[in-house]
Amino acid sequence: QISRWKSVLKAMTNSTETRFLTHSNLTNSRRISPHRRSKPMPEADVDHIYNYDPKYLADILASVKTIAMVGASANKTKFSYGVLRQLSEIGYDILPVNPNPNITEIRGLRAYRSLEEIDKPVDMVDVFRPKEELYGFAERAIAIGAKVLWGQIGVYDDNAARLAEDAGLQVVMNRCPKIELFRPFWKPRLDLEI
């Protein structure tokens, strides 16, 4: 099933869609990182600054297979639960990470207490935690050999991004893979059970 979505992502990269064009497009991923600024940005500029070339995002989502989701919740009303559900149904190998000892699985997927507890290679670390914790998760993502550090909407830290990029990781912040994956033709699957 994931191969079908890779075809969709390839079509995205060949599209003439230009609504996401910002200075990030000029850098084309890691040649000049959009995360390397000397001053903190005003809160109002966050959405503008963390826009990425659609091809950069599509290439990441087409290349990763195993995603460790830090902050995954078993609560069906939480945003992280919906993202976990959708990405899992598409075909990604989702590894929920939640330190709560009472949570042993989420939607039938084994839950891990930490990134270090995961016993298989991880392509991407998707962070659903406060932005103040992103730097620590960048360090852990590097330690486990992840290829991508992804901060969910509202999760961004330029220092964490620099640390990860200097270690060779690709970085996305203040974005949701579920939303980016289906853009610009995302439609909710209202027929699916939660």
Side-chain angles (χ1 to χ4, degrees):
Q1 194 178 17
I2 199 166
S3 61
R4 178 165 64 94
W5 288 106
K6 286 188 176 182
S7 298
V8 170
L9 286 165
K10 185 176 180 181
M12 283 173 61
T13 66
N14 295 330
S15 134
T16 57
E17 185 71 38
T18 58
R19 59 182 153 156
F20 301 111
L21 292 179
T22 67
H23 72 282
S24 298
N25 296 50
L26 300 177
T27 67
N28 192 15
S29 74
R30 296 186 58 227
R31 281 181 296 167
I32 302 173
S33 170
H35 310 123
R36 295 184 180 275
R37 289 181 297 279
S38 58
K39 298 179 183 176
M41 66 289 184
E43 202 71 24
D45 291 342
V46 168
D47 286 337
H48 170 73
I49 290 172
Y50 296 123
N51 273 333
Y52 296 89
D53 185 336
K55 185 179 186 307
Y56 177 68
L57 299 177
D59 285 349
I60 288 174
L61 293 171
S63 66
V64 301
K65 295 175 182 172
T66 303
I67 302 174
M69 188 172 290
V70 178
S73 175
N75 184 336
K76 295 179 180 179
T77 67
K78 298 289 187 181
F79 186 57
S80 64
Y81 182 93
V83 175
L84 178 148
R85 168 193 159 197
Q86 193 72 59
L87 296 184
S88 177
E89 288 171 349
I90 288 170
Y92 290 100
D93 182 10
I94 304 298
L95 310 175
V97 178
N98 189 310
N100 186 335
N102 297 320
I103 297 176
T104 58
E105 66 175 44
I106 299 176
R107 283 187 61 81
L109 303 173
R110 175 187 169 184
Y112 297 85
R113 303 277 288 279
S114 67
L115 288 174
E116 293 80 6
E117 188 179 290
I118 297 173
D119 53 0
K120 62 169 74 175
V122 172
D123 295 323
M124 182 169 105
V125 174
D126 184 15
V127 181
F128 272 95
R129 297 295 301 158
K131 61 185 179 182
E132 292 78 13
E133 298 181 26
L134 187 59
Y135 193 93
F137 286 114
E139 293 178 314
R140 295 180 183 94
I142 293 166
I144 66 170
K147 301 171 186 174
V148 179
L149 175 68
W150 190 300
Q152 278 288 336
I153 294 171
V155 183
Y156 53 89
D157 178 342
D158 288 342
N159 291 327
R162 281 191 292 271
L163 178 72
E165 288 181 331
D166 287 344
L169 280 70
Q170 292 176 289
V171 177
V172 178
M173 301 189 295
N174 197 44
R175 287 287 173 271
C176 175
K178 170 185 167 183
I179 293 172
E180 300 303 331
L181 186 61
F182 291 100
R183 201 190 291 273
F185 37 76
W186 182 82
K187 293 182 181 178
R189 289 289 306 279
L190 299 178
D191 57 312
L192 296 176
E193 296 269 343
I194 63 170

